[in-house]
Amino acid sequence: MAPLLGRFFAEAGVQEKAIQYLLQAGDDARQVYAYQEAAEAYEHALLFLRESEATDLTGRTLLKLGLAYHSLLDFEKSRLAYDEGFALHRLEADSLAKEQEPSTHILRYGINAKPYTLDPGQAIETILCLVSKQLFSGLVKLTPEGEILPEVARRWQVLEGGKLYLFHLREDAFWSDGKPVTARDFVESWRRNLSPERELSPASLLFDIKGARAYYEGQTSDPEEIGVSASDDFTLVVELEAPVGYFLQILDLPQLMPVPAHKIEELGDEWDKPEYIVANGPLRLKENQPSRSMEFELNSGYHGRETGNVAGASLIVTDPEETRILYDRDQLDAVPIMQLGYTPDDVAKLARRWPDEIVSAPADNTMYYWFDVRQKPFDDRRVRRAFALAVDRKILVAKTSAFIYSVATGGLVPPGIPGHVTDLALPYDPEAARASLAAAGFPGGAGFPEQIIVSTDDGMPGYLVSELQRQWWQNLGLEIKFEAEEIGHFSQRHQQDPPGIWLLGWVADYPDPDNYLRVSTWRQTGHWTHPEYDRLIEEARRLTDQSQRMERYHQAEKILAEEAPIVPLVYPSNFLMVKPWVKNLPLSYVGPDMARAVVIDPRPPTEFLLP
């Protein structure tokens, strides 16, 4: 409807409505990977925008257009749009004044565990990603609407047919100790993350860079052969193996944010301790109370836009019962709803108690279990399929909460991400499950070796685990033990005593099937390989034709379903409880951006005291 309305108002000469619907048409097309249609809509909108005085909107539309052409690998048109957009974006940013009176309040946000490190390169779980987003600022900013905006990079050039990127950095970006953020900080960060010694590292995110995979896999030991370098303090040079359309989108990930090279030189591996950490993001760490809270204040050296009024933020660790009490007493401003309770009764009580304070956030998330296929008997697909066929996902959701979870009858890529495949999962079929287990040599579970399923200790999957255990016992005669592991010990557990089965989930780093099917850490811990699967996902990441890309991913998902190295269980929803005095809380896949745009109206004068 938006494209039709856009054209209608354009032909009628109703400029404001034409711009509104043409931009909506472009955004809608971009969300489903229809980049050519998106580019045409943005180009049409710009015919009107260039005649208006909406400098900021014109600049941001040009940046959207640049991203659409970049995704199509049309780098010349992308360059033209970006060059014009960068100029307008910088002009608007330089003239932007802080719009709100400073607040004396901080944003108080409930969490269920503290991060085990402050190194953004180790951000493999949600809490650390959330903290990293507050402390660190990358080359670009990916907005919840999918826009790519300049951050530490004030502009960039894409050369040599998409294989060479030059990022020109701002000279007014500083670490919180006053040192400038330089290209060397990015080089240090990316090289560290490619270190072969780093288990469960984000290395695969960087494999598009020339020489990155070879360095990580030990084929070369010279970091100078990795295609990332600093030609001067404020120019970062990145060489890719081949053009890819999603490269700009991954640059906002915590794992690709800079680290302070000067602090690493001074302190080595101690640089990320709370007492030493320096930041280049909107917030800096003010106080760290072990196992209880993290207090943040505004980073005066942060270079970005600030239109909010918060004085800082506080992350408070609480259990579900305590969280409900503190939220009810107006001593928490926002909290993920899953931290308040899981059962249907819990959720019903929340909805009755605070019906107007439930806010939805992006939720591209899949919870699953996967096997370490190096370990017998999980090297046998018949065993893996038996486990999958023995699980009734509908009962799984009914015994937790249909408000929070939906049944994962599709593939690993969740709804909301282009490429999601419906009705793909192996069906619930206990008889076929028992037959498959018997064919593998374990009739009725006889002779099956003792197995453990390991998950995190933050309580999220506990209800799922107990129901999984019940169904595997009932349908296969197998007693699978459960162990909860601290997320910070996952890497150590992987190296020293890996279980046969892992249970976790994956929240989208960037909205592309590549993130689930190639990059996510289940492949590192599960050690599963399949020549046809590998060929399909490698082909898909290079294709510019989106229908062909999606077809490759669909084929790859079918292989996953049949081979069952990983089994999707549920697609979690993402809801928050947010107090009515909190305005403009930007929500992303990993949590809120707690400083840049948040406005806190006067609220009840409750003093926040840690119980």
Side-chain angles (χ1 to χ4, degrees):
M1 182 62 70
L4 292 175
L5 289 172
R7 288 194 295 270
F8 171 79
F9 286 115
E11 292 173 1
V14 184
Q15 184 181 77
E16 184 176 343
K17 288 290 187 181
I19 292 171
Q20 174 188 340
Y21 285 108
L22 288 169
L23 291 180
Q24 182 181 331
D27 292 345
D28 291 346
R30 185 162 48 85
Q31 291 297 319
V32 296
Y33 282 21
Y35 292 120
Q36 186 60 51
E37 290 82 354
E40 292 171 0
Y42 293 142
E43 292 274 23
H44 200 173
L46 283 165
L47 294 176
F48 297 97
L49 283 168
R50 288 191 176 97
E51 298 177 358
S52 73
E53 296 181 359
T55 304
D56 185 51
L57 185 57
T58 304
R60 293 180 72 140
T61 302
L62 284 160
L63 296 181
K64 290 180 182 181
L65 179 63
L67 180 61
Y69 281 131
H70 182 278
S71 300
L72 290 167
L73 305 189
D74 190 335
F75 297 110
E76 178 57 26
K77 288 183 179 179
S78 178
R79 180 187 65 79
L80 293 173
Y82 270 131
D83 285 349
E84 186 181 358
F86 290 145
L88 292 177
H89 187 266
R90 182 65 180 270
L91 177 65
E92 181 67 16
D94 289 344
S95 65
L96 183 69
K98 197 170 180 69
E99 297 175 358
Q100 302 291 335
E101 290 295 324
S103 172
T104 59
H105 297 301
I106 60 173
L107 179 71
R108 304 163 303 180
Y109 189 79
I111 57 175
N112 54 18
K114 286 181 66 174
Y116 57 92
T117 176
L118 295 179
D119 181 354
Q122 295 294 291
I124 62 170
E125 47 84 29
T126 304
I127 296 299
L128 180 51
C129 287
L130 172 64
V131 171
S132 296
K133 288 280 190 174
Q134 318 309 319
L135 292 176
F136 297 96
S137 178
L139 291 168
V140 305
K141 174 67 177 174
L142 177 63
T143 72
E145 296 75 32
E147 297 176 78
I148 297 288
L149 302 178
E151 262 289 296
V152 176
R154 57 184 173 85
R155 65 185 181 91
W156 51 85
Q157 297 170 276
V158 186
L159 307 171
E160 297 183 8
K163 294 178 65 175
L164 178 66
Y165 287 72
L166 300 181
F167 293 95
H168 302 281
L169 308 189
R170 305 173 63 112
E171 297 184 20
D172 61 347
F174 296 93
W175 294 103
S176 53
D177 62 359
K179 299 289 186 181
V181 179
T182 68
R184 178 169 166 259
D185 295 321
F186 286 93
V187 173
E188 176 73 16
S189 172
W190 295 8
R191 286 181 178 178
R192 281 169 56 85
N193 290 340
L194 284 167
S195 171
E197 288 77 29
R198 285 203 168 192
E199 289 287 336
L200 298 183
S201 78
S204 56
L205 288 168
L206 297 163
F207 281 176
D208 291 306
I209 296 175
K210 183 179 179 181
R213 186 194 291 265
Y215 181 78
Y216 179 71
E217 294 179 350
Q219 300 170 31
T220 176
S221 59
D222 183 3
E224 297 294 330
E225 294 187 21
I226 302 171
V228 55
S229 60
S231 61
D232 58 49
D233 283 349
F234 301 105
T235 306
L236 180 68
V237 182
V238 182
E239 301 175 79
L240 302 188
E241 297 278 5
V244 289
Y246 54 77
F247 184 66
L248 290 174
Q249 292 175 309
I250 71 173
L251 297 178
D252 182 47
L253 298 180
Q255 302 90 338
L256 275 74
M257 289 179 176
V259 295
H262 65 286
K263 297 297 286 187
I264 293 174
E265 282 185 355
E266 175 189 350
L267 300 169
D269 290 340
E270 298 290 304
W271 76 273
D272 65 333
K273 300 298 183 185
E275 58 267 33
Y276 302 131
I277 193 76
V278 297
N280 77 316
L283 298 177
R284 59 181 294 175
L285 186 62
K286 178 182 179 183
E287 183 180 355
N288 180 59
Q289 297 188 27
S291 303
R292 186 48 176 163
S293 72
M294 301 180 75
E295 308 294 328
F296 299 86
E297 61 186 357
L298 295 181
N299 180 10
S300 60
Y302 175 61
H303 57 275
R305 300 182 179 204
E306 294 178 2
T307 58
N309 72 347
V310 296
S314 180
L315 296 180
I316 300 98
V317 180
T318 62
D319 59 34
E321 181 178 357
E322 183 184 19
T323 302
R324 287 193 289 269
I325 293 172
L326 294 177
Y327 190 84
D328 192 45
R329 292 176 177 174
D330 294 335
Q331 293 178 327
L332 284 175
D333 299 309
V335 64
I337 200 169
M338 285 197 293
Q339 194 171 323
L340 290 161
Y342 289 86
T343 69
D345 285 344
D346 288 333
V347 174
K349 289 176 183 177
L350 294 176
R352 288 195 300 268
R353 178 69 181 83
W354 298 293
D356 299 325
E357 298 177 21
I358 299 177
V359 177
S360 64
D364 296 327
N365 188 355
T366 304
M367 189 170 287
Y368 47 72
Y369 65 87
W370 72 102
F371 303 99
D372 184 345
V373 301
R374 296 175 306 177
Q375 300 187 36
K376 293 183 179 297
F378 298 123
D379 59 337
D380 190 329
R381 73 188 290 268
R382 294 171 297 184
V383 171
R384 302 194 301 266
R385 286 174 60 87
F387 272 71
L389 291 162
V391 173
D392 186 342
R393 296 173 179 83
K394 292 180 180 179
I395 296 296
L396 208 64
V397 167
K399 290 195 174 183
T400 54
S401 173
F403 182 78
I404 296 175
Y405 300 123
S406 60
V407 179
T409 56
L412 181 60
V413 176
I417 296 289
H420 171 68
V421 183
T422 60
D423 300 323
L424 186 69
L426 291 176
Y428 173 55
D429 190 337
E431 184 176 342
R434 288 188 285 271
S436 187
L437 192 65
F442 306 103
F448 200 86
E450 182 177 287
Q451 294 295 331
I452 297 172
I453 183 169
V454 170
S455 187
T456 58
D457 65 347
D458 58 11
M460 285 183 59
Y463 298 91
L464 297 176
V465 171
S466 60
E467 180 59 23
L468 277 174
Q469 290 174 302
R470 187 193 69 79
Q471 293 190 26
W472 285 332
W473 169 251
Q474 174 181 298
N475 296 324
L476 298 175
L478 300 178
E479 183 177 359
I480 307 299
K481 296 181 179 179
F482 170 61
E483 290 185 9
E485 191 74 74
E486 291 184 18
I487 186 69
H489 295 163
F490 252 52
S491 176
Q492 182 179 356
R493 184 65 183 262
H494 173 234
Q495 297 176 60
Q496 298 178 0
D497 184 27
I501 314 174
W502 301 81
L503 172 67
L504 208 60
W506 192 263
V507 181
D509 293 315
Y510 52 99
D512 194 286
D514 179 76
N515 189 224
Y516 291 85
L517 302 180
R518 181 181 65 89
V519 170
S520 56
T521 53
W522 69 269
R523 297 200 69 194
Q524 294 184 51
T525 51
H527 304 282
W528 178 77
T529 60
H530 188 285
E532 180 63 8
Y533 178 89
D534 293 340
R535 181 187 69 80
L536 288 166
I537 62 173
E538 286 300 319
E539 282 185 6
R541 63 198 286 235
R542 306 294 185 196
L543 289 170
T544 60
D545 185 302
Q546 295 304 321
S547 63
Q548 293 183 23
R549 279 192 86 219
M550 294 304 110
E551 179 57 32
R552 299 295 194 284
Y553 287 131
H554 292 176
Q555 293 176 41
E557 286 266 48
K558 290 178 182 178
I559 293 173
L560 281 187
E562 290 299 317
E563 295 290 324
I566 182 170
V567 180
L569 294 172
V570 295
Y571 301 126
S573 302
N574 188 7
F575 292 93
L576 282 81
M577 302 296 298
V578 180
K579 289 296 184 181
W581 52 76
V582 178
K583 313 294 184 184
N584 303 333
L585 183 64
L587 299 174
S588 70
Y589 304 114
V590 300
D593 188 341
M594 295 191 291
R596 283 178 264 210
V598 177
V599 174
I600 297 183
D601 292 338
R603 64 188 182 203
T606 55
E607 181 181 3
F608 179 64
L609 298 175
L610 293 175

